[in-house]
């Protein structure tokens, strides 16, 4: 069950020649793949490109009609390896995943693919996750493209440019026998717009056709002595062919008129640069500017003749390259040096070395560049010595920091509450974490897990501590990470090395952190994928003897007891706890419409709600320190005798019961209560509820009267 369904939008992918497509960048990329005769598509979900896999899954019927093979790969390495179909066959293939972590996972396959070279167009669509909206380490995919000589496209963030880049990428790949990486940034993935469509094209050669007539060429195998020839081909044949194609097809763009200074811009930065120029009065409302711009829709390889031609007649050029190191700037500086040019090259001397180039950063940097090299281009008020560019207010001291956290009702929350309680008895344990929702447990109030080394590598991260000690080490891996890489690299590693540590597999039924896609162990029936493969059976299959399956993670006392057992048992060898409960977000997405439909139809529906008895709550807030649920907040009572605010549960509560379970496990207080809200009750229930209300009302009025009498007597 993906986070978002594209069933309705997928119908737009059937638009033909001359029609107008309106929608998101993700859908535009899919349409472009179909228009350019792609033969097979694969990938692995990951922000900001996750929805591309969801679109492809929802469009599987259309893909089948066109003879296109689609596969949701086990991980990015498997996706990149899929492109091997283009090595011997003239079939266009595309895969997609998150960058740079996906590129890191796929690195071995991509390097081999680039070394072999391709006959059919091979396109790697990378969701470049750099900047303030990123969820990972701050790195760029550019370095990998340079290392393995994979051409890198970075189109301007509008639908026509993105769609054109897909076609250009396939053709560039075929013209130079080299795989091509297409970078789409966060905003490019979700930008909306229009473009004129073309007819979808069936692949000239389908994978079925190729299978009927297998081809092979041992000189394309990555083995000596052919690897030495491959390297020479890259330099002597493929690179010149790529430069020729880029130059003749005009993949890079020039805007504006001739002038004394100019800007070299990554294609993906174009919109932000134009906005900064608008704020300086150097571009109009429609983005038209007279300032010379050289827009690099291809950021690798760079074409020296194009760049030097752009620099002709200019005294200074500013390179706007987001991220570090400054690969583009260094290469362009080399071109100028070798050409013995006097053009002054600016870049990271004016712009920040690292960090996202926001509108304010670009505004300040462009102002500084023009003041130094072409002050006459600036409007009069900007040239004034005391001018300060309008700044975005600093809200860091007003708006509180909001680190990521578990959703309301998340079934992972009680796992870490139980683990924290268990450590009160066992002592602090060496814990490593993994990538996924469970990584939020590293933050307060749990503070469980101190490192993460890669998707599925949680248990492997504890390998140095598997040799024994006063306490066993414990590691965490999610079900998505388990199937992605963890079964072999982490669990298999533990078994092979006779590890005596503990691993916890957090099973929420989905690849939840990437959007709720199905995986091997998902419980739901999937018409096109094999689900319902238990994690516990896979563990036993690779040799884990001590396996414990938990099917309700909200049982905090039970989980606490199990953690203590795993950490203290005399039994040697790997110990794995599979803690399973459905992701609450996906559960609510599935159940809320059904519940609303049932209520509308007049059927009886019962929904649990939890609350806090204000008269019983002591206000020590220990429940929040062991739960951290967003629906738990503080409430100040209108009572002069109660100084501390009490715990309160707001309307976002989904009735998971975790707060009460935690309170019970920690022996905190009995202030939590459960109330079942009944919609469309039966006649007997209605009468009984009315009777109870009258009795309670009578008792309350009697109690109030006695208090009043006592007060008057006193």
């Amino acid at each position: 069950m993906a986070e978002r369904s594209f069933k309705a939008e997928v119908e737009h992918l059937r638009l033909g020649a001359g029609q107008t497509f309106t929608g998101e960048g993700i859908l535009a990329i899919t349409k472009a793949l179909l228009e350019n005769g792609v033969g097979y598509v694969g990938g692995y979900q990951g922000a900001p490109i996750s929805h591309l896999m969801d679109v492809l899954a929802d469009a599987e019927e259309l893909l089948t009609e066109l003879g296109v093979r689609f596969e949701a790969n086990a991980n990015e390495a498997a996706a990149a390896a899929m492109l091997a179909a283009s090595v011997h066959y003239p079939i266009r293939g595309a895969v997609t995943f998150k960058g740079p972590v996906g590129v890191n996972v796929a690195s071995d396959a991509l390097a081999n693919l680039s070394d072999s070279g391709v006959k059919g167009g091979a396109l790697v669509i990378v969701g470049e996750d750099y900047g303030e909206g990123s969820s990972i380490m701050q790195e760029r995919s550019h370095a990998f493209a340079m290392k393995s000589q994979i051409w890198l496209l970075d189109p301007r963030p509008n639908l026509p440019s993105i769609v054109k880049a897909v076609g250009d990428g396939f053709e560039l790949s075929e013209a130079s026998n080299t795989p091509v990486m297409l970078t789409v940034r966060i905003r490019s993935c979700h930008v909306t717009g229009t473009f004129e469509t073309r007819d979808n094209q069936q692949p000239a050669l389908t994978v079925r056709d190729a299978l009927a007539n297998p081809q092979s060429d041992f000189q394309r195998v990555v083995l000596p002595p052919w690897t030495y020839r491959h390297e020479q081909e890259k330099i002597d044949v493929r690179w010149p062919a790529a430069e020729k194609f880029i130059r003749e097809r005009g993949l890079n763009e020039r805007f504006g008129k001739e002038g004394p200074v100019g800007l070299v811009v990554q294609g993906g930065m174009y919109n932000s640069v134009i906005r900064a120029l608008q704020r300086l009065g150097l571009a109009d409302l429609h983005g038209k500017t007279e300032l010379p711009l050289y827009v690099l829709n291809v950021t690798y390889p760079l074409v020296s003749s194009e760049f030097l031609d752009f620099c002709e007649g200019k005294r200074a050029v500013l390179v706007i390259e987001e991220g570090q190191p400054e690969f583009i700037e260094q290469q362009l500086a080399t071109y100028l040096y070798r050409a013995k040019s006097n053009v002054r090259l600016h870049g990271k001397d004016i712009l920040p070395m690292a960090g996202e180039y926001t509108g304010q950063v670009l505004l300040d940097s462009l102002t500084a560049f023009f003041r130094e090299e072409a002050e006459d281009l600036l409007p009069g008020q900007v040239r004034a010595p005391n001018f300060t560019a309008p700044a975005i207010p600093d809200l860091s001291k007003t708006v509180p920091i909001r680190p990521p956290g578990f959703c309301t009702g998340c079934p992972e929350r009680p796992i870490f509450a139980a683990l924290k309680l268990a450590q009160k008895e066992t002592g602090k344990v060496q814990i490593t974490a993994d990538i996924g929702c469970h990584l939020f447990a590293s933050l307060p109030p749990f503070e469980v897990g101190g490192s993460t080394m890669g998707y599925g590598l949680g248990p492997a991260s504890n390998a140095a501590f598997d040799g024994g000690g006063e306490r066993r080490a414990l590691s965490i891996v999610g079900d998505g990470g388990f199937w992605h890489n963890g079964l072999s690299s982490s669990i298999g590693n533990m078994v092979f090395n006779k590890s005596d540590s503990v691993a916890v597999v957090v099973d929420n039924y989905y690849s939840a952190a990437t959007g709720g896609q199905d995986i091997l162990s998902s419980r739901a029936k999937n018409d096109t994928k094999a689900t319902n493969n238990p994690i516990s059976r896979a563990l036993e299959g690779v040799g884990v003897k001590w396996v414990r399956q938990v099917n309700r993670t909200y049982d905090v006392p039970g989980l606490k007891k199990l953690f203590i057992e795993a950490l203290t048992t005399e039994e040697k060898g790997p110990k794995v706890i599979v803690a399973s409960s459905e992701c609450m977000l996906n559960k609510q997405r599935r159940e809320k419409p059904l519940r609303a439909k049932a209520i509308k139809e007049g059927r009886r529906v019962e929904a649990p709600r939890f609350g806090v008895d204000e008269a019983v709550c002591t206000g020590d807030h220990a429940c929040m320190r062991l739960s951290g649920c967003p629906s738990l907040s503080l409430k100040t009572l209108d009572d002069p005798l109660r100084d501390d605010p009490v715990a309160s549960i707001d309307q976002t509560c989904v009735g998971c019961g975790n707060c009460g379970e935690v309170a019970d496990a920690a022996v905190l207080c009995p202030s939590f209560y459960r109330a079942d809200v009944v919609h469309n009750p039966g006649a007997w229930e209605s009468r009984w509820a009315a009777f109870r209300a009258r009795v309670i009302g009578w008792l309350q009025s009697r109690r109030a009267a006695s208090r009043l009498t006592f007060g008057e007597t006193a």
Side-chain angles (χ1 to χ4, degrees), residues 180-228:
V180 170
M181 194 178 294
L182 172 61
T183 295
V184 281
R185 298 156 189 253
I186 297 173
R187 292 177 180 85
S188 298
C189 291
H190 302 295
V191 68
T192 58
T194 63
F195 68 93
E196 186 176 316
T197 60
R198 296 183 291 131
D199 290 333
N200 295 332
Q201 300 293 323
Q202 288 191 330
L205 179 70
T206 68
V207 289
R208 285 181 175 272
D209 296 333
L211 199 57
N213 184 27
Q215 305 292 317
S216 62
D217 179 359
F218 63 88
Q219 295 189 35
R220 297 261 62 87
V221 178
V222 184
L223 278 174
W226 298 285
T227 48
Y228 313 127

Side-chain angles (χ1 to χ4, degrees), residues 56-80:
L56 291 166
D58 286 341
E60 198 154 2
E61 180 181 341
L62 174 58
L63 297 178
T64 303
E65 291 174 14
L66 292 169
V68 180
R69 163 69 176 162
F70 166 65
E71 179 163 312
N73 301 107
N75 53 41
E76 295 88 352

Side-chain angles (χ1 to χ4, degrees), residues 450-465:
S451 66
T452 176
M453 300 306 294
Y455 203 23
L457 297 179
S461 304
N462 251 350
F465 302 100

Side-chain angles (χ1 to χ4, degrees), residues 8-53:
E9 291 94 331
V10 159
E11 290 304 309
H12 300 160
L13 300 178
R14 297 182 180 274
L15 293 175
Q19 295 182 281
T20 300
F21 176 95
T22 302
E24 274 190 276
I26 291 289
L27 283 149
I29 291 171
T30 313
K31 175 60 175 163
L33 291 173
L34 300 181
E35 290 181 355
N36 284 282
V38 70
Y40 62 96
V41 189
Y44 191 84
Q45 59 274 358
I49 206 75
S50 295
H51 288 335
L52 183 50
M53 290 299 294

Side-chain angles (χ1 to χ4, degrees), residues 255-268:
F255 295 98
K257 298 179 179 180
E258 292 303 320
V261 297
L263 306 180
V264 178
V265 183
Q266 289 169 298

Side-chain angles (χ1 to χ4, degrees), residues 44-45 74-76 101-102 105 137 432-439 451-463 466 475-495 502-506 511 513-514 519 535 539 576:
Y44 191 84
Q45 59 274 358
N75 53 41
E76 295 88 352
V101 288
V105 172
M137 78 290 286
T432 54
D434 207 306
I435 293 172
C437 298
H438 43 276
L439 186 56
S451 66
T452 176
M453 300 306 294
Y455 203 23
L457 297 179
S461 304
N462 251 350
D466 280 349
S475 54
I476 300 152
V477 62
D479 48 353
F482 177 85
W483 294 115
H484 176 277
N485 184 35
L487 180 59
S488 58
S489 297
S490 282
I491 303 301
N493 188 63
M494 291 175 70
V495 174
V502 181
V504 182
V505 182
V506 180
S511 182
T514 59
I519 51 178
I535 291 173
L539 291 166
V576 183

Side-chain angles (χ1 to χ4, degrees), residues 478-640:
D479 48 353
F482 177 85
W483 294 115
H484 176 277
N485 184 35
L487 180 59
S488 58
S489 297
S490 282
I491 303 301
N493 188 63
M494 291 175 70
V495 174
F496 184 69
N497 289 288
K498 296 185 177 181
S499 163
D500 191 37
S501 60
V502 181
V504 182
V505 182
V506 180
D507 172 24
N508 55 33
Y509 301 9
Y510 309 92
S511 182
T514 59
Q517 293 82 8
D518 280 339
I519 51 178
L520 276 162
S521 52
S522 294
R523 297 332 192 245
K525 182 180 181 299
N526 190 311
D527 293 333
T528 62
K529 302 292 180 285
T531 52
N532 285 286
N533 295 283
I535 291 173
S536 56
R537 287 180 59 186
L539 291 166
E540 292 164 359
V542 296
V544 181
K545 302 292 191 295
W546 196 101
V547 179
R548 299 292 184 271
Q549 175 70 49
V550 176
N551 290 317
R552 182 176 174 274
T553 61
Y554 297 100
D555 179 11
V556 177
L559 270 173
K560 173 188 171 186
K561 182 179 178 182
L562 185 55
F563 279 131
I564 294 172
E565 178 191 349
L567 291 166
T568 59
T569 180
E570 294 297 321
E571 189 171 339
K572 300 299 182 183
K575 284 155 279 291
V576 183
I577 298 170
V578 184
S580 305
S581 276
E582 184 177 11
C583 165
M584 185 57 73
L585 276 182
N586 276 23
K587 184 177 181 181
Q588 292 296 316
R589 288 190 190 107
R590 187 183 69 255
E591 292 186 349
K592 272 187 174 181
L594 298 176
R595 189 161 58 242
K597 184 174 183 289
I599 293 171
K600 187 176 180 180
E601 292 174 353
R603 286 182 278 147
R604 183 185 183 279
V605 175
E606 193 172 297
R609 289 297 305 274
F610 286 80
V612 175
D613 189 331
E614 297 173 358
V616 179
C617 177
T618 62
D620 66 353
H621 313 143
C623 53
M624 298 179 195
R625 292 195 292 273
L626 279 168
S627 168
C629 180
S631 67
L632 264 176
S633 56
L634 299 176
K635 180 180 180 181
T636 302
L637 299 178
D638 187 19
D639 184 345

